[in-house]
Amino acid sequence: MADKRDVRNSLLFECAWEVANKVGGIYTVIKTKVPVTVSEYGDRYCLIGPLSYKTAPMEVESEEPTDPYLAATLEAMKSQGVKSLYGRWLIEGAPHVLLFDTGSMYHKLDEWKGDLWDLAGIPSPPNDHETNETIVFGYLVAWFLGDYVSRRLDKAVVAHFHEWQAGLAIPLCRKRHIDVTTVFTTHATLLGRYLCAGSVDFYNNLQYFDVDHEAGKRGIYHRYCIERSAAHCADVFTTVSHITAYESEHLLKRKPDGVVPNGLNVVKFQAMHEFQNLHSTSKAKINEFVRGHFYGHYDFDLDNTLYMFTAGRYEYRNKGVDMFIESLARLNYRLQKSGSNVTVVAFIIMPAATNSYTIEALKGQAVTKQLRDTVTEIQNRVGARLFEHAARVHGDQTVAPTPDELLSSEDLVLLKRRIFALKRNSLPPITTHNMVDDANDPILNQIRRVKLFNNDNDRVKIVFHPDFLNSNNPILGLDYEEFVRGCHLGVFPSYYEPWGYTPAECTVMGIPSITTNLSGFGCFLQDLIERPQDEGCYIVDRRMKSVEDSVNQLTDYMFSFCNKTRRQRINQRNRVERLSPLLDWKNLGIEYSKSRQLALRRAYPDQFYGPDGEPYVDMESEEDYFGGGVGRMPPMSVPASPRLRGVATPGDIGTLTEEMQSLKTSDYRGNGWPSTAEDDEDSYPFPLVMKIRSRAGSVMSGASTPGGGTFNSLTERDLQQADEALSQVKGEVNGIH
């Protein structure tokens, strides 16, 4: 081989089925992660995906490759009949993107299937379209990487693959001895998703499953083989959460090297309370919908109404909708018993097969709109008459006009007609659409079973919206983000949720949420924060408790939320929003950097370690950088006055180490900030207390991610060093004064 490959300026190819092709959650992961990856790699970064003629023309601007090696490789593949599109993906960060047309190589499918069987013993049935696509795509990516690295010999190449649909290239690269280093990230295991959808006590029996038998029984053995071979052949294997790591270890039979949590791009507002303003404007739009949906039975006070919601793919059991509906029925009973004047409107947003909007739902919006228009019209006329009357007043005449002078009989007739139109003989519907299979729909059947029919005496009302949200929707005209901002609480009691973008999005938007310790997001927060429920992220225990106990715990959380004052809810939204840096890619992207760094070390150990196994001296600084991650938080971008209890200040996160070590520093210990009695009702511990992270697992083991390894308490030596450092700082400060 020629000179050593440069590992410091390595090239990165990131490969996934959802590059410029929205199918599910991985699209969100990749799209939102691009800006931080581009800031690290610049033009040395390129995404690879399948070419979808439906979406690609809108998402990708084609251009000629500037890298001569890349251009030569694509030209060579083109001469063999491979069609591809190279250009820039039109999203923030504008990364290079390379999309292969799998259709152009379908004539090679049988040949490649035979090769896959000979090479890796992976079978492939004839009529599984998704697997056929995966095989063609995998062979094209391996072909591209093999050709490219044989031309470009000066730089190390890292290839990062997401999920089994993109991962087939990994065993091919390994078997062909292609000089790339590979990382495989699984976001959810195939078998896990199937086993959880069936009624299996999944997590307690993980170690006992006969994986080959279970995969065969469900007709996914060949897919499982692809996923498993990708996990075993990759230099570095990662998952998105600790719960998925546990599952991967038992189902894919390889212990992951680390966890790379999913982040979001957190938009920091200039004004600290801008997200509170967005909440009230979005809530006003939901109020409009509720007035229309419940017309004729709209006898509750919107100022005392809380909006809760659950959303996601229609996986009735996996997403915990069964538990949500059962808990709503119990919450309804408890609110009635306690004589509460709070009304809860619970939304279930899950796309299902529907025919159209129901007549009732459309009529509700129409009659309330007519009423509003009529009232506006009458208002204008009354205003004109009042002005006319006031203009004529002179001398000792009475100023106040009589109601008869202002409201004409015509106005009253018009108003009465509109009010009569609001009469309805039926109860408000529980769904906004006509379902294709109404009688067998599991959500509707459970709502019928628990008898939540939106009766007047029900304190909990249900609205099932079996479609995506869209601002052009004639009934609930809001985008998903706008809708979430207008709600008070997101409820996601999932049984199988490898990460959980829905509660993460709520957190970033400053909306409290309920999740479970079986979701990746729930585990992530439990690992990082001492008492997540104090920060507005409630975590239901579905791992150690019986179903009955979990349902009761969820009901307790919702009931206690209903008993909060408006002031306490505002305070809680502030606390939730300040957790958003924990989910920012600017911090979580470091975990991806660490996995790539580990892959390079495994592939090219001679460039990192001497013959005796000792790391080279100049690696120390890098070791320090790659040991970072979520535990070390930068200060918040917008400092807030500490007088506002429940708002983050730079000290909250910047001095977490002092907080952990219980050092009596002067941050704001002992400063009695003025507070009101109203504040004290909501006596949350302040500031946020993070758990201590062990640095025992270094980058070498890949376990230096949040929660990786055990939580060791700090040694006496650590405390002593910290104390010395702090006294030195204090000395300097005093010196200045």
Side-chain angles (χ1 to χ4, degrees):
M1 208 182 86
D3 294 337
K4 284 182 177 179
R5 289 184 181 273
D6 178 1
V7 293
R8 291 183 175 278
N9 297 303
S10 58
L11 301 165
L12 172 63
F13 289 102
E14 191 158 8
C15 182
W17 194 256
E18 298 195 33
V19 170
N21 176 32
K22 185 170 172 57
V23 183
I26 296 172
Y27 177 84
T28 311
V29 177
I30 291 180
K31 188 175 172 177
T32 55
K33 187 173 70 66
V34 158
V36 292
T37 317
V38 168
S39 68
E40 185 181 344
Y41 275 86
D43 278 350
R44 293 178 290 127
Y45 173 52
C46 178
L47 291 138
I48 303 178
L51 175 53
S52 155
Y53 287 104
K54 204 166 66 188
T55 56
M58 278 123 46
E59 297 214 22
V60 177
E61 182 181 11
S62 73
E63 48 177 61
E64 288 300 310
T66 47
D67 175 349
Y69 306 106
L70 190 78
T73 300
L74 292 181
E75 196 53 49
M77 291 178 77
K78 188 178 175 184
S79 67
Q80 301 273 321
V82 178
K83 287 185 183 165
S84 62
L85 169 65
Y86 179 81
R88 288 198 182 268
W89 190 2
L90 301 173
I91 56 171
E92 190 189 343
H96 288 301
V97 67
L98 172 58
L99 305 177
F100 287 115
D101 177 2
T102 50
S104 66
M105 280 285 122
Y106 249 77
H107 60 276
K108 291 277 224 179
L109 181 63
D110 289 340
E111 181 192 324
W112 285 344
K113 281 185 170 184
D115 182 62
L116 189 59
W117 174 250
D118 296 338
L119 201 66
I122 295 176
S124 41
N127 299 320
D128 182 348
H129 176 67
E130 196 172 358
T131 303
N132 290 346
E133 288 278 323
T134 297
I135 292 171
V136 175
F137 182 59
Y139 269 81
L140 283 170
V141 172
W143 178 358
F144 166 76
L145 289 172
D147 195 308
Y148 182 73
V149 298
S150 68
R151 294 169 193 271
R152 178 145 206 178
L153 303 169
D154 60 334
K155 286 187 163 64
V157 175
V158 180
H160 191 142
F161 299 85
H162 294 265
E163 286 293 89
W164 72 277
Q165 290 103 319
L168 185 66
I170 298 174
L172 297 178
C173 289
R174 173 58 63 93
K175 298 284 185 191
R176 295 174 186 178
H177 302 291
I178 294 172
D179 192 11
V180 299
T181 177
T182 53
V183 182
F184 181 58
T185 299
T186 184
H187 294 253
T189 67
L190 273 168
L191 207 48
R193 209 180 274 289
Y194 276 85
L195 288 168
C196 283
S199 294
V200 175
D201 183 4
F202 180 66
Y203 291 98
N204 292 327
N205 294 311
L206 255 179
Q207 57 270 52
Y208 308 122
F209 288 121
D210 174 348
V211 285
D212 293 339
H213 172 74
E214 295 291 348
K217 198 164 76 179
R218 288 165 176 76
I220 55 163
Y221 180 70
H222 51 290
R223 297 179 176 196
Y224 169 71
C225 288
I226 293 173
E227 184 176 46
R228 186 163 163 177
S229 69
H232 282 267
C233 293
D235 291 313
V236 171
F237 174 45
T238 62
T239 66
V240 292
S241 63
H242 289 285
I243 198 84
T244 316
Y246 173 60
E247 173 192 335
S248 301
E249 191 177 339
H250 290 293
L251 298 185
L252 297 177
K253 308 298 181 192
R254 176 174 177 184
K255 193 180 174 72
D257 295 300
V259 171
V260 284
N262 290 333
L264 285 158
N265 284 330
V266 177
V267 178
K268 275 284 166 213
F269 296 114
Q270 286 305 302
M272 202 58 180
H273 286 288
E274 183 58 29
F275 76 100
Q276 298 279 15
N277 300 341
L278 289 173
H279 168 72
S280 47
T281 51
S282 296
K283 188 176 75 172
K285 291 183 183 175
I286 301 177
N287 287 349
E288 282 294 297
F289 163 80
V290 167
R291 287 189 192 100
H293 191 79
F294 292 93
Y295 82 91
H297 293 267
Y298 169 48
D299 53 0
F300 45 93
D301 176 11
L302 284 184
D303 284 341
N304 264 336
T305 299
L306 297 179
Y307 297 140
M308 296 183 185
F309 79 101
T310 192
R313 256 196 315 275
Y314 197 143
E315 291 178 21
Y316 171 68
R317 187 167 180 272
N318 283 357
K319 297 290 183 196
V321 189
D322 50 353
M323 186 178 275
F324 182 44
I325 296 171
E326 177 58 39
S327 296
L328 286 173
R330 296 183 185 193
L331 176 66
N332 187 41
Y333 174 76
R334 286 175 67 172
L335 288 172
Q336 286 169 330
K337 289 290 279 186
S338 65
S340 172
N341 61 350
V342 171
T343 303
V344 171
V345 178
F347 292 90
I348 300 171
I349 313 283
M350 290 200 160
T354 61
N355 288 323
S356 61
Y357 301 109
T358 59
I359 299 292
E360 270 298 282
L362 288 164
K363 185 184 170 191
Q365 299 307 316
V367 292
T368 45
K369 185 178 183 312
Q370 285 173 331
L371 177 64
R372 180 176 289 284
D373 291 348
T374 302
V375 168
T376 310
E377 205 180 306
I378 294 172
Q379 214 176 327
N380 292 339
R381 287 190 219 153
V382 167
R385 290 185 197 119
L386 184 59
F387 173 75
E388 193 59 30
H389 178 89
R392 291 178 175 192
V393 170
H394 56 275
D396 298 333
Q397 286 182 335
T398 52
V399 175
T402 60
D404 293 345
E405 285 176 288
L406 291 182
L407 266 182
S408 70
S409 54
E410 184 192 345
D411 292 340
L412 285 170
V413 168
L414 201 53
L415 198 55
K416 274 180 186 163
R417 274 172 59 186
R418 290 286 174 257
I419 291 168
F420 277 129
L422 293 178
K423 283 200 169 152
R424 110 195 291 181
N425 300 321
S426 59
L427 289 172
I430 52 176
T431 176
T432 53
H433 290 61
N434 292 310
M435 304 291 287
V436 167
D437 191 5
D438 188 297
N440 297 313
D441 185 81
I443 290 180
L444 289 179
N445 281 336
Q446 194 187 353
I447 294 172
R448 289 170 188 133
R449 241 189 345 269
V450 300
K451 297 186 169 55
L452 281 178
F453 293 127
N454 295 340
N455 276 307
D456 290 358
N457 62 341
D458 282 334
R459 293 272 47 83
V460 174
K461 321 278 187 186
I462 285 197
V463 178
F464 174 30
H465 187 278
D467 197 2
F468 288 114
L469 290 174
N470 182 322
S471 51
N472 301 326
N473 183 325
I475 293 177
L476 193 51
L478 292 153
D479 285 331
Y480 178 70
E481 182 179 330
E482 220 180 339
F483 172 76
V484 172
R485 285 194 184 277
C487 289
H488 296 92
L489 181 69
V491 185
F492 313 101
S494 308
Y495 184 71
Y496 184 73
E497 185 78 81
W499 173 244
Y501 253 128
T502 37
E505 285 167 340
C506 284
T507 305
V508 168
M509 291 185 218
I511 301 299
S513 62
I514 300 179
T515 181
T516 69
N517 59 356
L518 292 181
S519 88
F521 174 76
C523 296
F524 175 74
L525 282 185
Q526 271 186 330
D527 277 348
L528 279 177
I529 300 172
E530 205 64 62
R531 288 174 55 82
Q533 64 270 31
D534 294 337
E535 307 299 326
C537 292
Y538 302 93
I539 298 173
V540 173
D541 185 355
R542 288 197 70 171
R543 197 163 171 184
M544 301 303 177
K545 288 188 172 175
S546 67
V547 175
E548 176 66 14
D549 288 345
S550 301
V551 170
N552 283 333
Q553 188 183 11
L554 175 56
T555 312
D556 289 343
Y557 281 153
M558 295 198 293
F559 186 65
S560 70
F561 187 82
C562 291
N563 289 328
K564 285 189 181 301
T565 61
R566 181 183 155 83
R567 170 82 196 167
Q568 286 170 326
R569 289 199 307 271
I570 290 171
N571 190 355
Q572 193 176 44
R573 283 199 296 276
N574 283 328
R575 297 187 71 85
V576 172
E577 202 267 346
R578 73 176 197 164
L579 293 180
S580 53
L582 297 179
L583 297 166
D584 196 335
W585 272 125
K586 289 188 182 72
N587 300 313
L588 294 181
I590 293 171
E591 304 302 326
Y592 271 86
S593 298
K594 289 197 290 195
S595 61
R596 293 190 287 264
Q597 177 73 1
L598 179 58
L600 287 166
R601 289 180 179 217
R602 284 186 176 168
Y604 308 106
D606 55 322
Q607 298 210 41
F608 292 90
Y609 303 99
D612 54 354
E614 279 296 304
Y616 289 135
V617 181
D618 66 333
M619 296 312 297
E620 286 304 311
S621 57
E622 211 158 322
E623 180 77 78
D624 192 48
Y625 169 68
F626 284 106
V630 183
R632 203 181 304 161
M633 298 286 307
M636 302 284 264
S637 56
V638 184
S641 154
R643 287 187 183 77
L644 293 166
R645 297 174 80 215
V647 180
T649 68
D652 281 355
I653 291 173
T655 57
L656 280 174
T657 44
E658 301 170 22
E659 189 58 39
M660 291 170 189
Q661 295 163 9
S662 306
L663 299 173
K664 300 285 183 280
T665 55
S666 59
D667 193 19
Y668 28 76
R669 287 268 169 87
N671 286 340
W673 300 109
S675 69
T676 62
E678 199 172 9
D679 267 351
D680 288 333
E681 284 178 10
D682 211 13
S683 53
Y684 291 122
F686 183 68
L688 167 77
V689 178
M690 287 209 170
K691 287 187 174 177
I692 300 161
R693 264 190 40 220
S694 149
R695 284 295 298 279
S698 71
V699 176
M700 284 306 293
S701 69
S704 55
T705 47
T710 51
F711 291 117
N712 299 343
S713 53
L714 290 153
T715 62
E716 280 302 311
R717 175 89 189 105
D718 291 335
L719 291 169
Q720 199 181 330
Q721 282 179 320
D723 223 11
E724 284 165 16
L726 283 164
S727 52
Q728 195 179 338
V729 171
K730 279 181 186 168
E732 286 170 11
V733 171
N734 294 337
I736 291 166
H737 289 298

